[in-house]
Amino acid sequence: MTPKTLPCPEAQLRDIAARWPTPFHLYDEKAIRAAARRLRDAFAWNKGFRNFFAVKAAPNPYLMRILQEEGFGADCSSLPELILSERVGLPGEAIMFTSNDTPAEEFAKAKALGANINLDDISHIPFLEAVCGLPERVCLRYNPGPLKGGNAIIGKPEEAKYGLTRDQLFEAYALLQAKGVRRFGLHTMVASNELNPQYFVDTAILLFDLAAELHDRLGIWFDFINLGGGIGIPYRPEQDAVDIEAVGEGIRKAYAERVTGRGLPDVPLCFECGRCITGPAGYLVSAVRHLKHTYRDYVGLDACMANLMRPALYGAYHHITVLGKPGPCDHVYDVTGSLCENNDKFAIQRPLPEVVPGDLLVIHDAGAHGHAMGFNYNGKLRSAELLLREDGTVTQIRRAETIDDYFATLDFSALPTFK
């Protein structure tokens, strides 16, 4: 069981909502730091361990700076994410650039920053070489296909667009050697929001055995092995959180047996976790606009799927607290937004306390892939992001979009003028 608690007392949350119009995303700094330290401590046995925070989960410089202070790097997949990492002040070795269908300018920027470049396909080797030359160190992304099961979000590895096959991997490292590259990384990412701790131990075993075989056949060894990410969070109260310490210990044992136990050199391990670091520390706060009673009872919020699209995209569950109403949950509602899309629902047939217009609803576990997945369909404007500091103060870390923002990219100059 995972209790769903608020990041601050009810009175303070109401004060925040009085100062900043709903909807808004609120992040808990104390919880973010605690999650970062827990992951870091679980792998303290591995010299050089680093988590490259998945920027796509929560691309905000304030959150990235907090994690930089905790020793994290950044996992990037686009030019804006690279630039964001640069502006935060992350050095190149603290940036992992993993992309697919990558344009030339993104490879060039990653190399200029000195970032770790993780190639998604064997054809990217000559492409990168032609664009800006091969860097001193190159990482390759492995897709194990049917050798490793995926999960509901990321799908079966053999159906995924990511990574090199096993045969391609051996061919690619040999090609890089022939082109003069002498430093290497190895990476895979085969699950998302996975709650089974053994899954990550098994993934490590897969990569350790593969690294040993690459060493035996090609004579190479690795500057790092990136175990990917995908550590999930318990969105439902009845689910248990991943035992991070058990994951760290299980991988330590596998490392001792399959790396150092084989006489291979020590190698730093990496993760690229985002969701398990910021996800539970984020909340979407929204006010009730309307109640509708037709074939079902509907709670209409001032937020919509532009603020949090996971329920519409994945059918995902997010726990909801009606502020100041602990229960009983004796009413059943569909909780909706105002988009002209019928799947614009945060919850379907959810038991809640009786709701009235003006109530504040807190949607939990919205700190990863929440605000970041926002959009402007239907002319909806993305909401503000707020940070609850460790001392209890609140800082706006992204203002809400305005109508002027929405129109800023439109060019009216060629539009006929009508009288």
Side-chain angles (χ1 to χ4, degrees):
M1 296 292 292
T2 303
K4 299 298 179 181
T5 58
L6 298 175
C8 59
E10 177 189 338
Q12 184 179 8
L13 201 50
R14 292 190 184 279
D15 287 343
I16 296 169
R19 181 177 176 187
W20 283 280
T22 56
F24 56 78
H25 286 262
L26 179 66
Y27 304 95
D28 181 355
E29 178 182 2
K30 184 177 181 179
I32 291 172
R33 289 190 185 274
R37 291 168 186 172
R38 186 181 176 196
L39 179 62
R40 187 186 65 202
D41 291 348
F43 286 87
W45 56 266
N46 178 248
K47 185 177 180 180
F49 172 81
R50 172 176 271 161
N51 185 66
F52 293 88
F53 174 72
V55 176
K56 66 181 179 181
N60 189 291
Y62 287 82
L63 304 182
M64 292 171 66
R65 179 60 60 82
I66 288 170
L67 294 171
Q68 181 186 19
E69 292 171 358
E70 298 297 337
F72 280 24
D75 173 62
C76 301
S77 58
S78 69
L79 182 59
E81 289 180 355
L82 286 169
I83 295 172
L84 184 57
S85 300
E86 179 184 28
R87 292 189 178 182
V88 168
L90 285 165
E93 68 271 12
I95 301 172
M96 184 72 64
F97 180 61
T98 302
S99 65
N100 64 95
D101 196 20
T102 308
E105 62 270 20
E106 294 189 356
F107 276 138
K109 181 63 174 180
K111 188 184 179 190
L113 289 175
N116 298 288
I117 296 179
N118 185 20
L119 298 182
D120 183 66
D121 187 65
I122 191 169
S123 68
H124 292 180
I125 295 173
F127 182 80
L128 175 60
E129 184 178 31
V131 166
C132 55
L134 294 173
E136 180 183 354
R137 177 170 65 192
V138 177
C139 184
L140 297 177
R141 178 172 186 167
Y142 174 48
N143 182 330
L147 296 176
K148 179 69 177 171
N151 66 4
I153 292 180
I154 209 165
K156 297 179 181 178
E158 63 267 33
E159 297 174 359
K161 66 177 182 175
Y162 307 109
L164 290 78
T165 68
R166 179 182 172 85
D167 289 343
Q168 288 174 338
L169 197 72
F170 281 85
E171 181 184 351
Y173 281 119
L175 178 59
L176 289 167
Q177 283 182 298
K179 291 180 177 294
V181 177
R182 295 292 178 264
R183 299 177 62 194
F184 304 99
L186 176 62
H187 166 266
T188 197
M189 173 71 176
V190 287
S192 180
N193 194 37
E194 178 60 53
L195 291 174
N196 179 4
Q198 188 60 40
Y199 190 96
F200 305 101
V201 179
D202 293 343
T203 300
I205 290 171
L206 179 81
L207 285 185
F208 295 160
D209 288 347
L210 179 60
E213 188 174 351
L214 284 160
H215 176 268
D216 292 343
R217 286 177 52 178
L218 299 178
I220 67 173
W221 192 236
F222 296 94
D223 283 14
F224 62 84
I225 296 177
N226 187 337
L227 304 175
I231 295 178
I233 62 175
Y235 286 100
R236 295 178 179 271
E238 65 269 21
Q239 293 175 320
D240 293 324
V242 174
D243 187 337
I244 299 294
E245 291 75 20
V247 171
E249 178 60 16
I251 293 176
R252 186 196 66 78
K253 290 179 179 178
Y255 182 93
E257 177 185 350
R258 296 169 184 269
V259 178
T260 55
R262 285 174 169 157
L264 296 169
D266 280 313
V267 56
L269 302 181
C270 311
F271 269 109
E272 53 189 49
C273 294
R275 186 192 312 268
C276 67
I277 304 301
T278 59
Y283 305 80
L284 174 59
V285 181
S286 181
V288 177
R289 277 183 178 154
H290 302 285
L291 294 180
K292 181 177 180 177
H293 306 286
T294 53
Y295 302 103
R296 292 182 175 183
D297 292 336
Y298 296 92
V299 175
L301 303 184
D302 59 5
C304 67
M305 63 186 279
N307 306 107
L308 179 66
M309 69 182 298
R310 293 191 72 257
L313 185 63
Y314 302 118
Y317 178 96
H318 280 261
H319 196 69
I320 296 174
T321 294
V322 183
L323 200 62
K325 296 182 177 181
C329 296
D330 53 3
H331 288 64
V332 177
Y333 301 103
D334 281 14
V335 181
T336 73
S338 58
L339 279 183
C340 293
E341 296 290 338
N342 195 46
N343 66 339
D344 181 22
K345 297 179 179 181
F346 297 105
I348 297 174
Q349 295 296 276
R350 179 74 59 85
L352 293 172
E354 184 176 10
V355 174
V356 298
D359 276 345
L360 289 178
L361 269 59
V362 180
I363 302 177
H364 294 254
D365 302 305
H369 312 287
H371 190 283
M373 297 178 77
F375 52 86
N376 289 127
Y377 177 62
N378 261 188
K380 296 302 181 182
L381 305 177
R382 283 174 285 240
S383 53
E385 291 182 295
L386 311 176
L387 179 63
L388 176 64
R389 295 286 194 179
E390 289 186 291
D391 63 3
T393 61
V394 176
T395 301
Q396 179 176 268
I397 59 175
R398 189 192 305 268
R399 66 167 175 80
E401 287 183 338
T402 66
I403 293 291
D404 287 341
D405 294 325
Y406 181 79
F407 284 100
T409 57
L410 293 173
D411 185 352
F412 287 94
S413 62
L415 193 67
T417 301
F418 296 94
K419 295 183 180 179

